[in-house]
Amino acid sequence: MAARRISSLFSRSLSLPTAPASLGFGRGMQRFTSSAAVIDEPIIPPLQINYTKLLINGQFVDSASGKTFPTLDPRTGEVIAHVAEGDAEDINRAVSAARKAFDEGPWPRMTAYERSRIMLRFADLAEKHTQELAQLETWDNGKPYEQALTAELPLFVRLFHYYAGWADKIHGLTVPADGPHHVQVLHEPIGVAGQIIPWNFPLLMLAWKVGPALACGNTIVLKSAEQTPLTALYVAKLFQEAGLPDGVLNVVSGYGSTAGAALASHMDVDKLAFTGSTNTGKVVLELAARSNLKPVTLELGGKSPFIVCDDADVDHAVELAHFALFFNQGQCCCAGSRTYVHERIYDEFVDKAKARALGRTVGDPFKNGIEQGPQIDLKQFEKVLRYIKSGIDSDATLECGGDRFGSKGYFVQPTVFSNVKDDMLIAQDEIFGPVQSILKFKDVDKVIKRANATRYGLAAGVFTTNIDKANTISRGLKAGTVWINCYDIFDAAIPFGGYKMSGIGREKGVYSLNNYLQVKSVISPLKNPAWL
Amino acid sequence: MAARRISSLLSASLPFLSHRGKQSYLSRGIYHYSKSASLDNPIKPPVTVQYDKLLINGQFVEAASGKTFPTLDPRSGEVIAHVSEGDLEDVNRAVASARKAFDEGPWPKMTAYERSKIMFRFADLIEKHNDEIAALETWDNGKPFEQSAKIEVPMLARLFRYYGGWADKIHGLTIRGDGPHHVQTLHEPIGVAGQIIPWNFPLLMFAWKVGPALACGNTVVLKTAEQTPLSALFVSKLLHEAGLPDGVLNVVSGFGPTAGAALCSHMDVDKLAFTGSTETGKLVLELAAKSNLKTVTLELGGKSPFIVCEDADVDKAVELAHFALFFNQGQCCCAGSRTFVHEKVYDEFVEKAKERALKRAVGDPFKAGMEQGPQIDGEQFKKILKYIKSGVESGATLEAGGDRFGTKGYYIQPTVFSNVKDDMLIAKDEIFGPVQTVLKFKELGEVIRRANNSPFGLAAGVFTQNLDTANTLTRALRAGTVWINCFDTFDAAIPFGGYKMSGIGREKGEYSLKNYLQVKAVVTALKDPAWL
């Protein structure tokens, strides 16, 4: 399966309200089956697709094979554009361009301040082109345009401001020695970074990967997801405009088994970052192990618990849990996909969660007020429906939804299951769709054990006003992020990544930098040192 | 091939050694090696073997299979002791014990201060048993007793004091949010650490691995090298005497394909650290990828350049280059095994390097004044002789040595080749023995290219008085450690690790801690914050 990942969304600086009850996405409270989407006649954005080729060494070029692949509109399954399809040979060309740009080019040799200014100029350009980028992202991905425009694009710009600010703040250390030696540690760029990004948040994942790599002075070969190749190409063009030297950022559109595997196996790639499914992540790491031992960071799948304690304001909890799962059509690897609710408030919660799901507005993502667009493609669409069937077959109670939405494209009804048991498939596997599973719990110790009884460990939500419970649960959960009384807060400075089989390493924040740095110890003897 | 690694050595805080080779005690016994001690009657080591079983859950126990394997004296090839041979079932038992000690036991739940006190007490016990531990190490490994007793065992104590001091200084961060959120990161212990150590510095590698794992609150399953199982069992007993709770450190003696592979593939091991050959390292990472994506740090092979510039004081350069290669019988993965000498001083250097090698004191490592003992075992011994033969056949000039030393055990004559070319096998492969290859260079740019033209990138030596030359070389060399006018300085605070196929991650220093920590971001919604 291709890759996927979630964004930051609810932050005051993005001028969206933070209290879930008044979320922008929660405004359209009508029953989804009656929502007024016109899916039969999709709204076509006033946009020309200008960039469909591979970007190698600063030039848009055809793939070596001359092949292309269609990228589809998830609302209809129709072709948006034919895009050059990169494979092993194109990866070779892109890596040698990146290698040359690193070994000989100006990029790692210019000052960090100059690098930061190019990144800041790029952020300005991205801001200037916010509408086009948001339209392109929605067209290719199917996510609500309002979400792309008012949350993701501002965050995209914010991330490049953040990383540009890091460029001239990458300090090494001087180290106290055990004898008369002068010891320093240099933090050097690692070289050519291979980066493979998913289709669920194409722009944000680009920022998480490209931002720290550039800030640290590396060069890049980026492979975008075959479902969503368009925005990365557009962005790469803006980078050229901002002054990025040729060969520093190369973009290869294509498939995982060809282009992706070639990148992961390449002997001249010094670092690999991948976001996607756990199964693919294992293959990526194996390819790195078998080739040149490039260090690998992985951001993989999840089955994150959202724990609602008995002291909860149920309305508030329902809204937050709804958001935690349904956001981005449920296509978030940190989706709160196991909603654990205390038995005392369980029935009330289920009723309200059902009502909220029924009120979710599904429709053409370019339409105002729409909360949910189509799933990314047919394969995901079918997989989600299969899981819904499995939930019914395993005797969970279907509270609402359960089928496709409309008759065209990949829309799925917001679906809620209650009476879900830990051993049901829908409580164990990552569904990656708009399917909420609500489980019941009795005491905190047990819910911690159940929440941890998974191979995943990406994120968790805790809903309580009790400080002891919050502290106990947040230490007890094996998860890379714990959101307390909030969810999907994705500020640039907050590290994100998985425990267990949800991944290796952290992205964002100060932690992300060392993914793109090599550490070099430099030691020389001291003659007559004034101090040690 | 089993694993291996080098220690700290030339530090002024170890007063019997200075960083200048000429005054090193290692070079005091300046007589021709062929005249040194009789090897037919090995000196009886002043120690008895007390611990030869597996250490699981605080108890010395037999292997589940009941099997044992002999550990041999490299001086004679004779059996020192029969040691319990752990395999899959024993690794399972050890992991279960470590898991329990982590999930339920007192270790991660006690204060960091209490953990640090146990580590400090352990360091005191090491000091108390210094000579006994050193004798065991020399007996099993073959390294000079003076080196074990005066350098390596004191360094073991020093490393545990270093890491003991870190235990209560592991800070997370609080972070500025982009909105009304309280953001903190917790640096949590990662869980059960699997650690596989090599035979070349058994005690120091024990400290590099176990030290940071314990300081961070983890539990450990340690697999020692089958060539050198004894010292780890002895010091682990001391660690329990110091108050370490049962199950926190489990030691399994055994072989790589059985016990080692079981540890790498184990679904309940959260982190794996391996030191050894690049080939085995790739396998280790592959097993981790195929099982549970445990995070892996690797310290692997090297072919480190030692660059002598034209401004060098030739006598000093010869001594340091000699030390860089021959130390520990050449069994260091950071051995300076490509001696690049500027053409202006090349002939003089070769003459003096040959003289120095001919004077190297080879003999029974328990005899005072010995610089060089036997190689670790028959396999290594044969491999080295094969490489020497390859050097002769490829047209390099054999200046000294070239054959075994004596007729018993695994001793090899200190061997020097001149007129070595980059494409000869002896200039490309890791020999891991007392074989120095001296190459000629003309220009700085040229030697940088040649030095970097290797799949390895572990370390490098630079010998120059010129600041510009030193700075240019230091930045350009793709190596995890650059020693300028010194070599093998291994203070506890200096990070060590490889670029390229020499490994992933860093050990020692502050950098080593994050190998044993998980990062958890905890984000809480703020009501009416006084500041953001």
Side-chain angles (χ1 to χ4, degrees), chain A residues 102 112 145 212 238 240 257 261 285 291 317 427 465 489 506 508:
Chain A
F102 185 79
Y145 176 64
L238 294 184
Q240 304 290 116
S257 53
L285 186 56
S291 53
T465 48
I489 302 299
R506 292 294 179 271
K508 293 198 291 115

Side-chain angles (χ1 to χ4, degrees), chain A residues 10-14 18 99 102-103 155 158 171-173 175-181 183-189 267 270 278 281-283 285-286 288-296 298 300 316 465 471 473-486 489-506 510-511 514 518-527, chain B residues 10-14 19-20 99 102-103 155 158 171-173 175-181 183 185-189 267 270 278 281-283 285-286 288-296 298 300 316 465 471 473-486 489-504 506 510-511 514 518-525 527 529 532:
Chain A
F10 283 70
S11 214
R12 182 185 276 165
S13 55
L14 302 175
T18 51
R99 182 87 263 160
F102 185 79
D103 289 348
L155 187 49
R158 195 269 175 273
H171 298 82
L173 299 171
V175 177
D178 286 347
H181 290 99
V183 181
Q184 52 188 311
V185 180
L186 305 180
H187 291 182
E188 303 192 340
M267 293 299 287
D270 300 307
T278 294
K282 292 175 77 167
V283 174
L285 186 56
E286 218 177 301
R290 285 191 188 153
S291 53
N292 65 342
L293 287 171
K294 52 182 81 63
V296 173
L298 300 172
L300 309 173
H316 194 172
T465 48
N471 281 336
I473 296 174
S474 58
R475 288 223 172 201
L477 290 171
K478 293 190 175 158
T481 301
V482 178
W483 286 293
I484 302 172
N485 300 332
C486 58
I489 302 299
F490 270 96
D491 299 354
I494 305 176
F496 184 82
Y499 280 46
K500 299 193 274 184
M501 290 174 77
S502 285
I504 296 176
R506 292 294 179 271
V510 61
Y511 300 87
N514 62 30
Q518 270 286 18
V519 172
K520 181 185 276 178
S521 302
V522 183
I523 301 121
S524 54
L526 284 172
K527 303 222 164 126
Chain B
L10 294 209
S11 211
S13 56
L14 304 170
H19 53 277
R20 283 206 224 101
R99 182 87 262 161
F102 185 79
D103 290 348
M155 185 56 117
R158 195 271 173 270
H171 298 83
L173 301 171
I175 293 174
R176 297 295 169 109
D178 285 346
H181 292 101
V183 183
T185 54
L186 304 178
H187 292 184
E188 302 192 340
M267 292 300 287
D270 300 305
T278 295
K282 292 175 76 168
L283 211 55
L285 187 56
E286 211 177 309
K290 283 184 178 157
S291 54
N292 66 343
L293 288 171
K294 53 180 80 62
T295 51
V296 174
L298 301 171
L300 308 173
K316 279 185 192 165
Q465 287 302 115
N471 279 338
L473 284 169
T474 296
R475 290 225 167 197
L477 290 169
R478 293 196 177 147
T481 301
V482 178
W483 285 293
I484 303 171
N485 300 331
C486 60
T489 301
F490 268 98
D491 300 354
I494 305 176
F496 185 82
Y499 279 45
K500 298 193 273 184
M501 289 173 77
S502 285
I504 296 176
R506 292 294 179 271
E510 191 180 342
Y511 298 85
K514 65 165 189 266
Q518 270 286 20
V519 174
K520 181 185 276 178
V522 181
V523 185
T524 319
K527 302 221 165 122
L532 279 179

